[in-house]
Amino acid sequence: MIVLGLETSCDETGLALYDSEVGLRGQVLYSQIKLHAEYGGVVPELASRDHVRKLIPLINQLLEQSGIKKSEIDAVAYTRGPGLMGALMTGALFGRTLAFALNKPAIGVHHMEGHMLAPLLSETPPKFPFVALLVSGGHTQLMAAHGIGQYEILGESIDDAAGEAFDKVAKMLKLPYPGGPNISKLAEQGSKEAFEFPRPMLHQGLDFSFSGLKTAVSVQLKKLDTEHANTENYHADIAASFQEALVDTLVKKSVKALKQTGLKSLVIAGGVSANKRLRERLELDLAKIKATVYYAEPALCTDNGAMIAFAGYQRLKAGQQDGLAVTTTPRWPMTELTQPA
């Protein structure tokens, strides 16, 4: 089965073809970073318009790159949610219309399920059951995954997601959008021990809270700016210390979740999973408890069509598909997903 995957939940237009016989046949991705950079974040209306502009050129590019004809597509999977309503609707309408024209089945996919299953596309994929740490711009969650559609939320952020915290602190430091990669780059020049930032809720269950950490950074920055900061590198030190506090929280909560569930595999997925310091710490700390961490390939960490095609295939092969009505779900808890029959 060849499944076309369409990802348009936010500011990236991703398309991919997944072949159940040979794996990923090809993928293309268009990022809107330059479009939104001057605003310091994603402008929903601009994102929707750019998806409209790029979808047809990208699918033509993908088919040519993969050597596959449109008529050879067996099914279409598109991101149904969560995400920005306009962006989701653009991809859903395109995907559902294409499937109708080809007389093929279509299915709406949960964006975060796509992220969580992306590591299964690697050469050494994890096996169920495992603990999943989902960290992106809109989500920070720890889940116990027992199988496709069998998900139990262990903990989640009660305020800002990890990716949001990165973006907001980047704004404080006057770094360009997107914040995460730029914070990490600046942190390499600083000292992670320079400032002792808080690790909110570290010893309170498995939920996360990053608003206090963000506030602490803001207070420290104002203090240093007022004092005219006698160190040239203080922004780099703040970036490094902030990153360490956030990473420390994610890692310790993940270790706690593994111990609590008795599982020995951790899957980390979402844009923040590409953070080098986070990966370093997970490798070190999980080795101490004889657990293994699994990641998606670098190209599959951020939003992409491959993860949607693969997640869609998992649902389609179990006999699930959507009707002709186009449905998008901007807010969609993973606990509402059903296990395939």
Side-chain angles (χ1 to χ4, degrees):
M1 178 186 287
I2 297 177
V3 180
L4 169 68
L6 304 168
E7 159 56 25
T8 63
S9 66
C10 191
D11 62 336
E12 282 159 329
T13 315
L15 288 80
L17 287 164
Y18 175 77
D19 188 330
S20 59
E21 298 295 324
V22 299
L24 196 60
R25 294 287 290 268
Q27 65 171 326
V28 291
L29 181 70
Y30 173 75
S31 175
Q32 301 176 6
I33 286 177
K34 290 183 180 179
L35 174 66
H36 301 286
E38 64 178 293
Y39 303 101
V42 178
V43 181
E45 179 63 24
L46 295 180
S48 303
R49 291 180 183 184
D50 226 33
H51 288 312
V52 171
R53 185 173 68 89
K54 296 300 294 185
L55 275 166
I56 291 178
L58 283 173
I59 193 172
N60 290 336
Q61 180 185 339
L62 176 64
L63 293 170
E64 183 178 352
Q65 174 194 107
S66 307
I68 291 176
K69 297 177 182 178
K70 202 176 293 183
S71 59
E72 295 179 89
I73 296 172
D74 296 306
V76 178
Y78 56 87
T79 303
R80 172 180 154 187
L84 302 175
M85 172 61 90
L88 290 169
M89 186 59 74
T90 300
L93 284 169
F94 183 87
R96 177 64 265 185
T97 302
L98 178 62
F100 179 77
L102 297 174
N103 195 27
K104 303 292 183 181
I107 190 163
V109 171
H110 193 289
H111 179 77
M112 295 310 294
E113 182 175 44
H115 271 306
M116 189 178 71
L117 298 181
L120 274 67
L121 285 165
S122 63
E123 292 183 5
T124 54
K127 294 181 180 179
F128 291 107
F130 53 74
V131 170
L133 173 62
L134 306 179
V135 275
S136 66
H139 298 82
T140 299
Q141 293 179 322
L142 276 167
M143 306 195 72
H146 302 284
I148 302 294
Q150 296 177 272
Y151 311 132
E152 173 193 359
I153 293 183
L154 303 173
E156 58 189 337
S157 179
I158 63 172
D159 42 55
D160 288 351
E164 287 178 300
F166 267 113
D167 286 340
K168 289 175 181 178
V169 170
K171 277 187 178 181
M172 296 179 200
L173 294 172
K174 297 180 173 58
L175 295 174
Y177 174 83
N182 289 301
I183 286 272
S184 297
K185 185 177 180 180
L186 180 61
E188 292 175 0
Q189 304 168 35
S191 168
K192 61 182 183 292
E193 289 90 19
F195 301 97
E196 187 59 37
F197 288 130
R199 275 73 165 159
M201 297 184 68
L202 190 59
H203 304 294
Q204 300 175 38
L206 294 174
D207 284 334
F208 300 90
S209 172
F210 295 114
S211 63
L213 172 59
K214 180 188 66 180
T215 301
V217 172
S218 177
V219 169
Q220 189 63 65
L221 266 173
K222 288 175 183 176
K223 179 181 176 183
L224 288 169
D225 287 340
T226 300
E227 296 172 352
H228 303 293
N230 48 14
T231 37
E232 294 181 5
N233 236 26
Y234 81 95
H235 272 203
D237 287 342
I238 282 182
S241 299
F242 158 74
Q243 178 178 256
E244 191 65 16
L246 189 145
V247 164
D248 192 38
T249 303
L250 292 174
V251 171
K252 288 180 177 176
K253 293 272 188 176
S254 296
V255 169
K256 188 176 181 179
L258 288 166
K259 290 180 177 179
Q260 183 174 302
T261 59
L263 298 173
K264 290 295 183 180
S265 297
L266 176 76
V267 165
I268 176 172
V272 180
S273 70
N275 183 277
K276 291 180 182 178
R277 182 56 184 161
L278 178 57
R279 292 192 176 206
E280 287 174 2
R281 281 290 309 277
L282 283 171
E283 295 283 355
L284 288 170
D285 287 46
L286 264 62
K288 295 175 184 176
I289 61 169
K290 297 181 180 179
T292 306
V293 59
Y294 296 88
Y295 314 98
E297 297 175 10
L300 301 183
C301 286
T302 54
D303 295 351
N304 62 85
M307 68 183 195
I308 301 304
F310 182 69
Y313 166 70
Q314 299 299 322
R315 296 282 175 173
L316 288 158
K317 76 174 181 178
Q320 292 185 326
Q321 66 180 72
D322 290 339
L324 289 175
V326 176
T327 302
T328 56
T329 313
R331 295 182 181 274
W332 190 9
M334 280 188 72
T335 49
E336 292 182 1
L337 293 177
T338 58
Q339 179 184 358

